[in-house]
């Protein structure tokens, strides 16, 4: 269907870290502490470049920053993921501004939601356990996939689990890699920055925050993103 024929998305597909919840600073702090413990440096720029990437790719960058041949990317990823999971388990998570209100509006409009994150299930679950269980009809985590963002596999799977086409969905993301994943899946994309600057692209709309976003504007964003392709 064209946006004119479908004025609202059939579903909204959410990213997790930095989009749904304010966990990006936790990831960055854990990464910086991990690299520093091994005598390396992990700059803010390096941390921002890793946002939205799958664990394997991000941990390869971290292993290169550490510079210890004995510490493989797989070992780095285990340490990184464990550190984040423990921090979230101890401190909880905070939904990003506007998320809770938008979730209520989507539910009232009968628009279902799915979650797709590059993070593995054991890292995400401590945070999801603190959020309303009615928010998502499907959850796709990185360990369920063969390819990481910016590959579209995760968003295609999330849409299929809702029984809809990705082209009839709006993806909400906070990173360039995640937004590319949504665009490559055929979805319209709403990009909302968290800690890293976003690059404009056809097929997406950048909005500074989800605060004040109602269903009418959500529909406008969905149609505008499609029209800009």
């Amino acid at each position: 269907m064209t946006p004119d024929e479908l004025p609202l998305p059939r579903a909204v597909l959410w990213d997790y870290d930095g989009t749904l919840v304010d966990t990006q600073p936790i990831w960055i702090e854990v990464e910086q502490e991990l690299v520093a413990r091994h005598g390396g440096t992990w700059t803010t720029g390096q941390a921002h470049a890793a946002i939205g990437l799958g664990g394997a790719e991000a941990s390869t960058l971290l292993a290169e920053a550490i510079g210890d041949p004995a510490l493989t990317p797989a070992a780095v990823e285990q340490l990184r993921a464990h550190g984040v999971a423990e921090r979230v388990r101890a401190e909880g998570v905070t939904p990003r501004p506007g998320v809770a209100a938008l979730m209520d509006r989507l539910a009232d409009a009968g628009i279902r939601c799915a979650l797709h994150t590059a993070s593995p299930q054991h890292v995400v679950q401590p945070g999801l356990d603190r959020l309303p269980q009615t928010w998502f009809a499907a959850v796709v985590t990185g360990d369920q996939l063969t390819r990481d963002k910016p590959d579209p596999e995760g968003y295609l799977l999330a849409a299929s689990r809702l029984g809809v086409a990705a082209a009839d969905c709006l993806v909400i993301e906070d990173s360039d890699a995640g937004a590319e994943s949504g665009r490559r899946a055929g979805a319209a994309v709403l990009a909302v920055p968290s800690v890293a600057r976003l690059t404009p692209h056809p097929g997406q709309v950048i909005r500074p925050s989800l605060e004040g976003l109602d269903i009418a504007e959500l529909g406008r964003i969905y149609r505008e993103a499609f029209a800009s392709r």
Side-chain angles (χ1 to χ4, degrees):
M1 287 188 178
T2 67
D4 289 338
E5 295 170 316
L6 189 64
L8 292 173
R10 291 194 187 279
V12 174
L13 311 179
W14 292 77
D15 171 54
Y16 180 73
D17 292 296
T19 301
L20 185 78
V21 290
D22 194 22
T23 49
Q24 294 293 19
I26 294 176
W27 283 96
I28 292 172
E29 289 170 12
V30 167
E31 291 164 356
Q32 289 176 331
E33 291 166 4
L34 174 60
V35 174
R37 280 202 307 271
H38 293 85
T41 300
W42 187 244
T43 67
T44 299
Q46 287 171 300
H48 287 183
I51 290 173
L53 299 177
E57 190 171 354
S59 293
T60 296
L61 297 176
L62 281 163
E64 291 171 355
I66 290 170
D68 182 352
L71 200 59
T72 65
V76 169
E77 177 57 17
Q78 278 194 321
L79 293 170
R80 174 178 177 254
H82 176 76
V84 171
E86 288 303 303
R87 285 278 298 274
V88 170
R89 192 172 287 112
E91 301 173 11
V93 291
T94 302
R96 295 275 293 157
V99 165
L102 180 55
M103 282 294 190
D104 288 342
R105 291 171 183 140
L106 291 169
D108 290 343
I111 298 174
R112 293 186 301 157
C113 295
L115 181 74
H116 166 38
T117 173
S119 300
Q121 180 75 32
H122 73 92
V123 175
V124 176
Q125 199 60 52
L128 289 179
D129 288 343
R130 307 286 188 97
L131 300 173
Q133 300 304 295
T134 56
W135 277 5
F136 298 107
V139 174
V140 175
T141 54
D143 47 347
Q144 300 173 20
L145 304 170
T146 59
R147 296 178 295 277
D148 292 326
K149 297 177 183 178
D151 191 274
E153 181 186 7
Y155 281 121
L156 290 170
L157 179 57
S160 71
R161 288 184 176 175
L162 295 180
V164 299
D168 293 339
C169 296
L170 178 70
V171 163
I172 304 181
E173 270 281 359
D174 77 310
S175 71
D176 280 339
E180 181 180 347
S181 175
R183 296 194 310 273
R184 289 173 62 186
V189 175
L190 168 57
V192 181
S194 57
V195 299
R197 182 176 298 176
L198 292 168
T199 306
H201 286 280
Q204 73 181 39
V205 171
I206 298 177
R207 193 179 194 271
S209 169
L210 293 175
E211 288 187 289
L213 180 59
D214 59 20
I215 295 301
E217 186 176 357
L218 187 89
R220 181 192 63 75
I221 289 170
Y222 171 71
R223 297 187 297 274
E224 181 181 334
F226 269 113
S228 70
R229 293 183 176 200

